mmCIF file of all heavy atoms in Angstrom:
data_model
loop_
_atom_site.group_PDB
_atom_site.id
_atom_site.type_symbol
_atom_site.label_atom_id
_atom_site.label_comp_id
_atom_site.label_asym_id
_atom_site.label_seq_id
_atom_site.Cartn_x
_atom_site.Cartn_y
_atom_site.Cartn_z
ATOM 1 N N MET T 460 0.911 -13.749 -24.634
ATOM 2 C CA MET T 460 1.133 -14.269 -23.299
ATOM 3 C C MET T 460 -0.070 -13.910 -22.437
ATOM 4 O O MET T 460 -0.530 -12.775 -22.453
ATOM 5 C CB MET T 460 2.389 -13.643 -22.698
ATOM 6 C CG MET T 460 3.651 -14.006 -23.418
ATOM 7 S SD MET T 460 4.053 -15.714 -23.025
ATOM 8 C CE MET T 460 5.577 -15.892 -23.922
ATOM 9 N N SER T 463 -2.061 -13.118 -15.527
ATOM 10 C CA SER T 463 -2.924 -13.277 -14.358
ATOM 11 C C SER T 463 -2.585 -12.177 -13.371
ATOM 12 O O SER T 463 -1.411 -11.963 -13.065
ATOM 13 C CB SER T 463 -2.668 -14.625 -13.669
ATOM 14 O OG SER T 463 -2.991 -15.691 -14.508
ATOM 15 N N LYS T 480 -10.373 -2.441 -11.566
ATOM 16 C CA LYS T 480 -10.744 -1.638 -12.743
ATOM 17 C C LYS T 480 -9.497 -1.244 -13.532
ATOM 18 O O LYS T 480 -9.499 -1.229 -14.761
ATOM 19 C CB LYS T 480 -11.513 -0.396 -12.279
ATOM 20 C CG LYS T 480 -12.137 0.405 -13.388
ATOM 21 C CD LYS T 480 -13.103 1.452 -12.834
ATOM 22 C CE LYS T 480 -13.763 2.191 -13.971
ATOM 23 N NZ LYS T 480 -13.377 3.599 -14.035
ATOM 24 N N VAL T 492 -7.689 -13.339 -3.406
ATOM 25 C CA VAL T 492 -7.735 -14.108 -2.175
ATOM 26 C C VAL T 492 -8.368 -13.189 -1.132
ATOM 27 O O VAL T 492 -7.807 -12.145 -0.794
ATOM 28 C CB VAL T 492 -6.330 -14.556 -1.726
ATOM 29 C CG1 VAL T 492 -6.417 -15.348 -0.420
ATOM 30 C CG2 VAL T 492 -5.662 -15.380 -2.820
ATOM 31 N N THR T 497 -15.367 -9.044 6.220
ATOM 32 C CA THR T 497 -16.718 -8.970 6.770
ATOM 33 C C THR T 497 -17.563 -7.938 6.029
ATOM 34 O O THR T 497 -18.721 -7.734 6.364
ATOM 35 C CB THR T 497 -16.666 -8.623 8.277
ATOM 36 O OG1 THR T 497 -15.909 -7.427 8.446
ATOM 37 C CG2 THR T 497 -16.010 -9.754 9.073
ATOM 38 N N MET T 519 0.673 -13.683 8.763
ATOM 39 C CA MET T 519 1.761 -13.765 7.785
ATOM 40 C C MET T 519 1.112 -13.637 6.411
ATOM 41 O O MET T 519 0.717 -14.621 5.785
ATOM 42 C CB MET T 519 2.539 -15.080 7.939
ATOM 43 C CG MET T 519 3.559 -15.361 6.814
ATOM 44 S SD MET T 519 4.548 -13.982 6.204
ATOM 45 C CE MET T 519 5.740 -13.842 7.497
ATOM 46 N N THR T 579 8.120 12.077 -3.496
ATOM 47 C CA THR T 579 9.154 11.836 -4.519
ATOM 48 C C THR T 579 10.569 11.770 -3.950
ATOM 49 O O THR T 579 11.530 11.903 -4.684
ATOM 50 C CB THR T 579 9.112 12.946 -5.588
ATOM 51 O OG1 THR T 579 9.338 14.203 -4.938
ATOM 52 C CG2 THR T 579 7.778 12.965 -6.313
ATOM 53 N N HIS T 580 10.693 11.570 -2.649
ATOM 54 C CA HIS T 580 12.044 11.554 -2.071
ATOM 55 C C HIS T 580 12.161 10.459 -1.008
ATOM 56 O O HIS T 580 11.181 9.793 -0.678
ATOM 57 C CB HIS T 580 12.379 12.925 -1.475
ATOM 58 C CG HIS T 580 11.351 13.404 -0.493
ATOM 59 N ND1 HIS T 580 10.258 14.144 -0.886
ATOM 60 C CD2 HIS T 580 11.213 13.199 0.834
ATOM 61 C CE1 HIS T 580 9.510 14.399 0.179
ATOM 62 N NE2 HIS T 580 10.056 13.827 1.234
ATOM 63 N N ARG T 587 11.156 0.676 -6.002
ATOM 64 C CA ARG T 587 10.945 -0.408 -6.983
ATOM 65 C C ARG T 587 10.481 -1.704 -6.315
ATOM 66 O O ARG T 587 10.982 -2.089 -5.279
ATOM 67 C CB ARG T 587 12.231 -0.659 -7.764
ATOM 68 C CG ARG T 587 12.487 0.425 -8.776
ATOM 69 C CD ARG T 587 13.568 0.053 -9.769
ATOM 70 N NE ARG T 587 13.796 1.193 -10.641
ATOM 71 C CZ ARG T 587 14.644 2.176 -10.353
ATOM 72 N NH1 ARG T 587 15.355 2.141 -9.241
ATOM 73 N NH2 ARG T 587 14.785 3.191 -11.171
ATOM 74 N N ALA T 609 10.673 -13.247 -4.556
ATOM 75 C CA ALA T 609 11.944 -13.804 -5.007
ATOM 76 C C ALA T 609 11.700 -14.472 -6.357
ATOM 77 O O ALA T 609 10.848 -15.358 -6.469
ATOM 78 C CB ALA T 609 12.466 -14.811 -3.992
ATOM 79 N N ARG T 615 14.498 -7.362 -15.167
ATOM 80 C CA ARG T 615 14.713 -6.046 -15.776
ATOM 81 C C ARG T 615 13.814 -5.026 -15.091
ATOM 82 O O ARG T 615 12.882 -5.391 -14.392
ATOM 83 C CB ARG T 615 14.363 -6.092 -17.266
ATOM 84 C CG ARG T 615 15.232 -6.977 -18.101
ATOM 85 C CD ARG T 615 16.301 -6.182 -18.817
ATOM 86 N NE ARG T 615 17.061 -6.998 -19.739
ATOM 87 C CZ ARG T 615 18.113 -7.730 -19.423
ATOM 88 N NH1 ARG T 615 18.526 -7.779 -18.180
ATOM 89 N NH2 ARG T 615 18.750 -8.424 -20.321
#
Side-chain angles (χ1 to χ4, degrees):
M460 295 287 182
S463 297
K480 189 169 183 247
V492 179
T497 54
M519 171 41 77
T579 59
H580 54 271
R587 285 193 184 87
R615 295 261 186 275

